[in-house]
Each structure stands twice: as structure tokens, then as C-alpha cells.
Amino acid sequence: MEQSKEPYIGPRAPHFLGYPEASATAQTVAAPLLAGASLSLIGVIIVDGGDFRWPGVTLLLVVTSAIALIATMQIGADARKYLYNRQTVEAWYAPEDLERNSELLERRSAHFIQWQVRNRRAVITFNTGTMLLIFSVATALVPPHDEQAAWRWAAAGLALAGALVEAWWIHHLFHEDPGGPPQKPKSLNGGDG
Amino acid sequence: MLYDVTLPGNGVDLHQCPSCVRPFRGHYTRDQVDDWERALEQGESLARAHLEQSGAFEVLHTATCPLRCLPPAVLALCPESELRAQYHKGRAVLGDC
């Protein structure tokens, strides 16, 4: 039998099917909360600047963090409009519309790629925002004077360690091996079939 | 394990082959697709060299995946009709790589 000359090309989908939801959670739940925390910290530093060792540096870090996290929400929302599955297409268009306009499903493929490209920017701003927030917390904790200095240095050190772990985690996520071919299951009787 | 801990870091750049759904990782741009098209125009040896350099042979496709002779940038960034066109162009120049 002659092999078909057209390659099989399936629908575009994320490799981890839960990834879009996980990404959306980071952009619509985590980012607003962390942005709110950044904005609160800005207020505290402006009012009580004298209680911080480096109020200027801390303010710069936390303002940049807030901007990055707010950008995450906006870029993520912009990206999200490109992500939908076949069910959504079928909910909007009757079968006869889909037959008449075959480009609707082709457009979904192009839109998925657009979502990946735009969502990547939201991911970068989110990771940047969280890193800057942790650094700003570390600088805010540095004691301005000797009172309880040891405890505050320990807390600042812990925050800095958290920042390093976060940086390692982000690096790991960007370079994680997605996994090789599926392992052939071993036969129970020790044979091959 | 650390992987089970919920941390706010967010991963990205994971794609899968639209034919054999094997995963691969990387950040790709349309410029890389254009580079591939230019390499195809220049003939088999340059196209083959481009495939090598692009990391196409590092993607763990199945042995019979029809898209294994395309650079990862094409797999990641080309919608279906463009992907089919790239497949046929690649086959015309490289045959079965």
C-alpha cells in the first residue's frame, strides 16, 4: 500500500496540558497579590523611611517589582485571548460554518503559537517581579541600627537565600529536560511481549 | 522533593512536535525560520548544515516522524498550512534526511 504523501500534523497543544491553567493562575492570582504587597511596601517606606537602612535602594527595587508584576497581568491578559481549544471554536460556529470556513481551525493553530510567544513575555516579567520583590524584602530587613540587629540580619539572610533558591528554580524551569521517549513497559514474565 | 513545593517561578519555552508530540525545549524566533528558508534555497549541503546547527537532530522524534527533518524553530512557530509547505520544501531539497 502506498504511504500517504501528506504528513500527519495534529492540533497545537501545550506539552503539559495543565500548563496554560498554571500560567494563568500565576498571572491572575499570584501577580496581583504580589503587586499589592509591593505597593503596600512602597507606602511603608515612604512614610517610615528612617526605619530602613537603605530606603532609596529598597524603594527602587520594590517599585520595579510592582511595575513588573502589573505588566505581568496586562501582558498575560493580552496573551490569553489567543488561547482556546476546539470546543470553543465549535461553541461559536455551527458545523456548516466550520465546513465553509476551514481557516477557522487553521487560525486556532496560528493563535496558539501567538499565545506561546506572548505568554513567554508575561512569564519573564512575573519571574523578574518576584525576584525583585524578594531582593527588596531582603534590603528592607537589613537593620538600620543596633537594636535586634542579629535577628534582622538573620531574617535578611534568609530572604536572600530565598532569592537564590528562586533564581535557581527559575533557571531550572527554563532548562528542565522535558523527558525522553516513553519507556517500554517491562513484561511481567521477563519476556519481550 | 523541591519539585513538589509550590514556588512562584514560572517555566516556559517547552514545545512539542505537532506530529509525534515528542517535547523539545528552546526559544525560537521568525528570523530562524527565515534562515532555514534561505538555507533551503542554497541547496542540500547548506540545508543539512543548518539542520545540524539548529538542533533538529537533538529533538527526540519517533523514528518515523515525518517532521524530523525540520528545524525546531519551524516546528514551534509555523501553523499547520505553513508547516506542511515547509515539510514539502524540505523533502524536495533533502529527501529523507
Side-chain angles (χ1 to χ4, degrees):
Chain A
M1 187 163 51
E2 202 181 291
Q3 219 172 359
S4 162
K5 297 231 187 300
E6 282 300 314
Y8 165 73
I9 295 175
R12 288 281 180 180
H15 179 65
F16 295 120
L17 295 177
Y19 178 76
E21 198 179 321
S23 201
T25 302
Q27 291 159 17
T28 61
V29 178
L33 287 175
L34 295 172
S38 301
L39 293 170
S40 304
L41 192 52
I42 291 170
V44 170
I45 298 169
I46 289 171
V47 170
D48 293 322
D51 291 339
F52 296 87
R53 179 84 162 242
W54 303 312
V57 170
T58 308
L59 211 48
L60 183 63
L61 287 171
V62 82
V63 164
T64 316
S65 165
I67 291 170
L69 291 165
I70 292 168
T72 300
M73 292 183 259
Q74 293 178 302
I75 298 170
D78 173 65
R80 183 65 185 81
K81 68 177 183 272
Y82 291 96
L83 183 70
Y84 52 92
N85 56 21
R86 179 186 269 264
Q87 267 183 321
T88 305
V89 179
E90 289 170 355
W92 282 97
Y93 295 97
E96 48 272 23
D97 297 322
L98 291 175
E99 269 184 46
R100 202 175 298 133
N101 296 299
S102 58
E103 69 165 70
L104 287 170
L105 289 174
E106 161 78 10
R107 198 192 298 169
R108 189 177 77 81
S109 171
H111 282 170
F112 178 82
I113 293 166
Q114 266 304 303
W115 171 76
Q116 283 191 304
V117 169
R118 290 168 189 244
N119 190 63
R120 184 179 197 274
R121 296 172 195 151
V123 166
I124 289 171
T125 55
F126 180 79
N127 290 338
T128 304
T130 53
M131 286 297 308
L132 288 171
L133 184 59
I134 302 172
F135 278 125
S136 64
V137 167
T139 58
L141 286 168
V142 171
H145 38 67
D146 289 340
E147 189 182 330
Q148 299 214 331
W151 292 109
R152 289 188 65 152
W153 275 116
L158 208 57
L160 203 57
L164 294 174
V165 169
E166 176 73 15
W168 169 83
W169 177 246
I170 291 169
H171 180 268
H172 167 76
L173 286 174
F174 269 70
H175 295 94
E176 183 184 22
D177 181 359
Q183 297 296 321
K184 187 176 172 184
K186 289 188 180 148
S187 165
L188 288 172
N189 64 4
D192 220 3
Chain B
M1 290 298 291
L2 193 59
Y3 297 178
D4 297 333
V5 174
T6 303
L7 290 171
N10 205 351
V12 76
D13 288 347
L14 189 61
H15 311 274
Q16 62 182 25
C17 171
S19 189
C20 67
V21 299
R22 289 281 169 82
F24 62 97
R25 187 178 286 284
H27 175 53
Y28 305 104
T29 63
R30 287 300 311 193
D31 289 343
Q32 290 168 299
V33 177
D34 296 339
D35 290 343
W36 163 244
E37 290 188 334
R38 271 193 291 275
L40 277 178
E41 282 166 16
Q42 287 166 11
E44 185 182 343
S45 56
L46 278 169
R48 210 168 279 280
H50 181 94
L51 263 189
E52 187 90 42
Q53 175 261 327
S54 71
F57 301 126
E58 289 157 26
V59 179
L60 298 173
H61 293 281
T62 57
T64 54
C65 178
L67 304 184
R68 67 189 184 282
C69 301
L70 291 173
V74 170
L75 299 178
L77 295 176
C78 294
E80 185 178 335
S81 57
E82 192 181 345
L83 199 47
R84 286 187 190 282
Q86 292 287 355
Y87 165 79
H88 288 295
K89 270 194 255 185
R91 249 194 113 74
V93 174
L94 293 166
D96 189 359
C97 69

